[in-house]
Each structure stands twice: as C-alpha cells, then as structure tokens.
Amino acid sequence: MFDKLSNVSAGVSNWFGEVRDRSDFIEWLKIAPYKKIMDNRGRYIELANDRGYLQLLEIQGKDILNLGHEEQQITLLNYHNWLIQFQYDLEIYSTKLPTDTTRQVRYLTSCLNRTKAKLKKTNNQRIRAQLQDQKQILEQNIKTELMIQKQIYNSEFILFLYGKTVRELDDLVAKAMSYGNQDFVPKVISRSKKEQILEQINNMNEKI
C-alpha cells in the first residue's frame, strides 16, 4: 500500500482543495489509490477500485531517552502489550507536519480585536498609550505564531489501518483505541490533518 501511495504523481499540491486545472485533477484521480474522505463519523478514506477503506490515527510520541529508567520500561512494556493484543494488518508512518498554532492565533486575534475596540472608545491619552503598546505586542505575537506554523515541523507517528468494509474498519479502530492504556492510546485525526498527511505523501517535495 505504501508503495502505491508513494508512486502517485507529485504534481498535485492539494487534491482535496481547490484545483486550478480540473482536467489534470480528473486524470490524477484515475491513478490515485483513494477516492475521497468520507463524511462518516470516523472520516474514513475510501480507497479506489473497491479496495476497501483506510483510517489514520495519531500515535503520541515520547522522548524516551529523557525519561527515567522506570518510566522507560513502562512505556516500552505498554507498547509491547498493545502490539501483542492488536494482531492485525497495520502500518506506522513517521512524518513531519507544520506546528499547529491555530488556537494561539485565534486567541491572540480575539485579544487584538478587543484592544482595537477599546482604542476607538477612549480619548484618554494615558490609556491610549497603554492600549497601543498592547496592540503592538499582540500583532508581533501573532506574526511569531504564524512564523512558527510555517517554519517549525513536528515529528509525528501515524497509524494506518485498513478494512475491506466500513464495519470491519469500525471494529479495528475500536480495538486499536481500547487495547492500549493511558500511556498508549492512538487518537483520531481531524479531516484537515488527514488532508495534510495525504498531500505530503503524494508530494515528494514536501518534508517527510
């Protein structure tokens, strides 16, 4: 499956987003190994040619070298136990994705809008000076968060699960998320993040 994913043409930069040349997109779909992200609860990926369905789950990484000896042993044992219990076909894919600072930018923008609103309402020079300082700090912080989002990439581990039917994949996902414990629990990935991952796999110019 990974060979098929890797060999897809790298010319498509965003196959779920807007496509400038619709004819090229249609031609690309003919060789793509998947059809679409479904609208079901799990946002499964429907594979092409009736090959079944795919789900992506995130495995939280740990800096194991900086853990204490006992915590290292517990972490490794929990992962070992999960592998023993979950004896199904799977792939674990290591990738680098941009750091998501969306929440921080949203919060800072909200603060900036409130500060601007206060500036419009006051004529007090001392208060205006304070608000101007706040405004400049918030604008700089937003620029910093946006720069982090563009320049800093996090290593992430993605679990690929395959099912011939939606029901089969439902069962696999439930087992994958319940066989672990609090130390090792794969997590559901949002639709937008799946788009990022699949775009990266199909664009060999992206950081991997």
Side-chain angles (χ1 to χ4, degrees), residues 15-16 34-47 52-58 158-163 165-167 169-170 173 177 187-198:
W15 56 282
F16 280 110
Y34 25 65
K35 291 182 180 178
K36 63 182 179 180
I37 292 180
M38 300 169 63
D39 290 327
N40 66 337
R41 182 178 180 182
R43 296 290 190 266
Y44 294 162
I45 299 161
E46 184 178 354
L47 301 177
Y53 302 87
L54 167 67
Q55 176 62 313
L56 310 184
L57 298 174
E58 180 180 351
I158 309 301
L159 175 64
F160 282 57
L161 297 177
Y162 306 95
T165 66
V166 170
R167 181 173 293 182
L169 191 52
D170 283 341
V173 170
M177 297 178 67
K187 297 180 180 179
V188 175
I189 295 175
S190 68
R191 182 190 184 108
S192 60
K193 191 166 185 177
K194 287 178 182 175
E195 293 177 5
Q196 264 190 313
I197 293 167
L198 292 171

Side-chain angles (χ1 to χ4, degrees), residues 11-75:
V12 180
S13 62
N14 189 347
W15 56 282
F16 280 110
E18 293 181 1
V19 181
R20 293 180 181 177
D21 192 331
R22 190 68 187 176
S23 62
D24 285 350
F25 179 61
I26 293 172
E27 288 302 312
W28 180 83
L29 276 179
K30 292 178 182 179
I31 63 171
Y34 25 65
K35 291 182 180 178
K36 63 182 179 180
I37 292 180
M38 300 169 63
D39 290 327
N40 66 337
R41 182 178 180 182
R43 296 290 190 266
Y44 294 162
I45 299 161
E46 184 178 354
L47 301 177
N49 302 320
D50 298 320
R51 292 203 307 272
Y53 302 87
L54 167 67
Q55 176 62 313
L56 310 184
L57 298 174
E58 180 180 351
I59 300 174
Q60 186 173 4
K62 279 196 172 185
D63 189 0
I64 197 165
L65 295 178
N66 288 325
L67 298 177
H69 177 72
E70 183 177 350
E71 195 171 356
Q72 283 183 0
Q73 295 302 310
I74 292 173
T75 298

Side-chain angles (χ1 to χ4, degrees), residues 94-97 153-157:
S94 176
T95 183
K96 288 183 178 292
L97 293 175
Y153 284 69
N154 290 327
S155 293
E156 300 191 17
F157 302 93

Side-chain angles (χ1 to χ4, degrees), residues 67-164:
L67 298 177
H69 177 72
E70 183 177 350
E71 195 171 356
Q72 283 183 0
Q73 295 302 310
I74 292 173
T75 298
L76 293 173
L77 180 61
N78 287 332
Y79 181 49
H80 176 71
N81 289 339
W82 183 85
L83 288 174
I84 289 175
Q85 293 183 71
F86 192 78
Q87 296 185 3
Y88 302 93
D89 289 338
L90 62 90
E91 298 276 1
I92 295 178
Y93 174 73
S94 176
T95 183
K96 288 183 178 292
L97 293 175
T99 303
D100 186 3
T101 61
T102 304
R103 289 184 180 180
Q104 293 90 324
V105 171
R106 187 182 300 124
Y107 172 73
L108 290 170
T109 302
S110 175
C111 293
L112 178 61
N113 290 336
R114 288 198 296 269
T115 300
K116 288 179 177 179
K118 290 178 182 178
L119 267 170
K120 290 181 179 180
K121 292 180 180 179
T122 182
N123 293 319
N124 186 298
Q125 293 303 311
R126 181 178 61 83
I127 295 177
R128 286 188 62 84
Q130 292 175 348
L131 291 173
Q132 286 287 359
D133 287 342
Q134 289 180 20
K135 177 175 173 290
Q136 290 178 4
I137 291 171
L138 288 168
E139 288 173 341
Q140 184 57 49
N141 287 343
I142 290 172
K143 288 180 181 178
T144 299
E145 294 294 342
L146 292 173
M147 188 178 300
I148 289 173
Q149 202 167 46
K150 290 181 178 179
Q151 297 183 359
I152 299 180
Y153 284 69
N154 290 327
S155 293
E156 300 191 17
F157 302 93
I158 309 301
L159 175 64
F160 282 57
L161 297 177
Y162 306 95
K164 293 181 180 179

